[in-house]
Amino acid sequence: MPARTLKDKVVVIGGASRNLGGLIAREIAPDGARVVVHYNSDSSRDKAEQTVADVKKAGGDAFAHQGDLTKVAEVEQLFDAAVRTFGKVDCMVNTAGMVIKKPMTETSEEEFDKMFAVNTKAAYFMMREAAKRIERDGAIVTIVTSLLAAYTGLYSVYAGSKAPVEHFARALSKELFGRNISVNNIAPGPMDTPFFYPAETDDSVAYHKSSSMNGDLTKIEDIAPYVKFLLTDGWWLNGQTLFINGGYTTR
């Protein structure tokens, strides 16, 4: 079977203005990918436009699109924009997420609803729209968390809102049989990004570091190659959650 490449493939990336999403966009650009750089808020616009510029400079093509992924109409508009601009969708990667860390007894209804909107609802409808738009021979990848395999407190609403995405991937991967579209999740360990630190203390950061094989946090550079692999030569993986975390948790 010939090697799969990203040449002229259209990849929609949720949360691509910075951190992991931005790196994935830049990593697939030299292969000639055409990238839809999603960003959420006006504060991310400049970084999204920089990602677009980086992708084009590296040999790909890209445009930026703003949208609130917790609103189904705006998810649909994101994919509409991809088809309108590039004519199709081949792959989707969703890196968007939100974390809080607190005891269940202190979690408010508002916090619960917001976490499930970002981590569960948005993931579901990003996967739904990708499945509707990709004709065949594509890939759908969602970033979840290695805490799904941890026995720990304080992350009940964070890990709990990521957990359904495992079932979403299994169900959708089965529903797409016959179209050669793989659906998988990647579960990183705690990542060394601005997303991680606000919920943690110095002591908890030290603990998270001590739980990996090299005494450090997961780097976005550790995760991006696995995403690219799932979009290309890793096509035979399907319905799986891959724990890419240096041994932070195992299942």
Side-chain angles (χ1 to χ4, degrees), residues 32-112:
R34 295 185 284 176
V35 184
V36 182
V37 176
H38 161 265
Y39 66 102
N40 179 68
S41 63
D42 288 338
S43 63
S44 301
R45 185 185 303 275
D46 289 347
K47 291 186 180 297
E49 293 296 348
Q50 183 60 57
T51 300
V52 169
D54 291 343
V55 169
K56 291 182 176 181
K57 184 177 180 180
D61 197 2
F63 73 93
H65 182 89
Q66 184 176 7
D68 181 350
L69 299 184
T70 68
K71 298 177 180 177
V72 176
E74 297 194 23
V75 175
E76 294 171 343
Q77 290 163 13
L78 171 64
F79 283 86
D80 287 343
V83 173
R84 185 169 59 250
T85 303
F86 290 137
K88 61 175 182 171
V89 175
D90 296 294
C91 303
M92 185 280 285
V93 180
N94 183 28
T95 72
M98 176 175 288
V99 62
I100 62 169
K101 177 184 180 181
K102 59 171 51 180
M104 184 180 290
T105 54
E106 298 176 11
T107 302
S108 69
E109 180 180 10
E110 180 182 9
E111 289 169 330
F112 179 96

